[in-house]
Amino acid sequence: MQGQNPGMSVTDSMPASGLPDLVDAHCHLQDGFLRHALEPALLRARAAGVRMMCCNGTHEGDWRYVLGLGRSHADICVSLGLHPWYVGERGGDWLARLEELVADNPVGIGEIGLDNALESRNDVEQEEVFLAQMELAVKYERPVTVHCRKAFGRLAELVGAMRDRPPYMMLHAYAGSHEMVPVFEKLGFYISICASITRTANRKVRTACVRVSPGRLLVETDSPAIAPVGVDFERNEPAYLPMVVEVLAELRGERPEEVAARTAANARLFFRCCEGVGTATE
């Protein structure tokens, strides 16, 4: 890590959380500095109490790499999907390639979604790609991890109109209003909270996270981005998850141990079909 004393071990620079069982419900271990410094980061995460990390592929170019991470690490579960940022770059056979990987491996679908904050986008194509992957999740009964920016109303409309829905759906790094929390919970979504709540100016999400039902609550780092206050924004990693739990517990008026245990149990239920990537066929 930047500024680390050369004489320190990879775990010395992280404070012990005292939380023995944490699950990072969403991260990207294939991206940024983590791509080239993953093993020390995994050691720091385990030392901080993180027992499972849910790594999401975002485009055709990283699907097999992310799948390999799951095969080589028992504490990494995998989701594969086409992120709305990469819709315009997709190949002609992208959906067939994704379906082949999903059919042959115990993986979730993600990260997929809608992003109306993009300056250049095609809403029709973005929604077509999103719904095709939602249907894939229905067909193979897989959990789905959904990205959404400035499209929460449209997302609720599209999912509400589906005849059948995936068995588990997560809105990750939730950035919507507190009024939309019960709307998405009624549709069947879990809601995952990231380190954006460590910024006191982010009143919107700090208010919303309090309204999430205990049985629908998840926590994540979304690393390597969205680092907690005090850490370089693009230097986030799973070992910082206890900071999210601490702030979330304070906002909800609960004990960190309770939040950690509940969110870990929720995540294991959410991703229960994704265990055993290492034993699946390629």
Side-chain angles (χ1 to χ4, degrees):
M1 289 185 65
Q2 292 177 335
Q4 183 175 328
N5 185 326
M8 299 171 69
S9 74
V10 292
T11 59
D12 286 342
S13 58
M14 297 286 180
S17 70
L19 302 173
D21 185 17
L22 295 163
V23 175
D24 187 347
H26 184 94
C27 57
H28 300 280
L29 302 175
Q30 75 278 23
D31 288 343
F33 80 98
L34 291 173
R35 178 103 179 190
H36 306 291
L38 181 58
E39 294 306 325
L42 294 180
L43 290 176
R44 290 190 291 270
R46 292 161 189 154
V50 181
R51 299 291 173 253
M52 187 167 87
M53 292 155 274
C54 305
C55 184
N56 283 242
T58 57
H59 56 83
E60 295 162 82
D62 72 9
W63 290 344
R64 289 201 174 272
Y65 182 83
V66 171
L67 190 58
L69 292 179
R71 287 178 172 153
S72 57
H73 299 83
D75 51 0
I76 296 176
C77 74
V78 168
S79 290
L80 304 175
L82 187 62
H83 192 286
W85 294 356
Y86 303 107
V87 165
E89 302 171 13
R90 69 193 188 282
D93 62 344
W94 74 273
L95 187 57
R97 293 181 59 196
L98 179 59
E99 180 166 5
E100 181 181 3
L101 293 174
V102 170
D104 291 344
N105 298 280
V107 299
I109 306 291
E111 179 177 349
I112 70 174
L114 304 177
D115 195 328
N116 284 357
L118 293 175
E119 292 185 2
S120 177
R121 66 180 194 274
N122 183 319
D123 290 344
V124 173
E125 288 189 7
Q126 198 178 110
E127 292 182 6
E128 288 177 351
V129 167
F130 169 69
L131 290 174
Q133 294 178 99
M134 290 289 281
E135 294 295 342
L136 197 63
V138 171
K139 179 178 179 179
Y140 289 94
E141 299 182 326
R142 302 299 172 85
V144 173
T145 298
V146 176
H147 161 110
C148 186
R149 290 198 305 171
K150 298 185 180 300
F152 291 99
R154 183 57 178 158
L155 176 65
E157 288 178 2
L158 290 174
V159 175
M162 293 183 71
R163 187 182 65 179
D164 299 308
R165 298 172 193 155
Y168 294 95
M169 300 179 291
M170 174 205 310
L171 260 174
H172 100 89
Y174 186 68
S177 68
H178 71 88
E179 293 93 342
M180 290 300 289
V181 167
V183 174
F184 286 116
E185 287 190 351
K186 188 174 182 180
L187 287 170
F189 277 95
Y190 287 65
I191 294 180
S192 186
I193 305 299
C194 71
S196 64
I197 62 169
T198 64
R199 292 166 174 78
T200 55
N202 192 350
R203 296 179 180 177
K204 184 178 182 180
V205 178
R206 285 168 65 92
T207 301
C209 73
V210 176
R211 291 200 66 181
V212 180
S213 301
R216 295 282 174 182
L217 186 64
L218 298 169
V219 290
E220 64 171 83
T221 60
D222 201 15
S223 53
I226 317 183
V229 167
V231 180
D232 288 347
F233 190 80
E234 297 290 343
R235 297 289 295 190
N236 199 7
E237 59 181 88
Y240 290 126
L241 189 62
M243 298 173 72
V244 178
V245 172
E246 294 280 352
V247 174
L248 181 58
E250 180 181 356
L251 292 171
R252 291 173 64 91
E254 301 172 357
R255 293 190 302 116
E257 294 81 1
E258 295 172 340
V259 172
R262 185 181 305 125
T263 55
N266 290 343
R268 289 196 169 88
L269 176 64
F270 189 95
F271 288 108
R272 62 181 173 178
C273 75
C274 300
E275 297 178 355
V277 172
T279 60
T281 58
E282 186 170 3

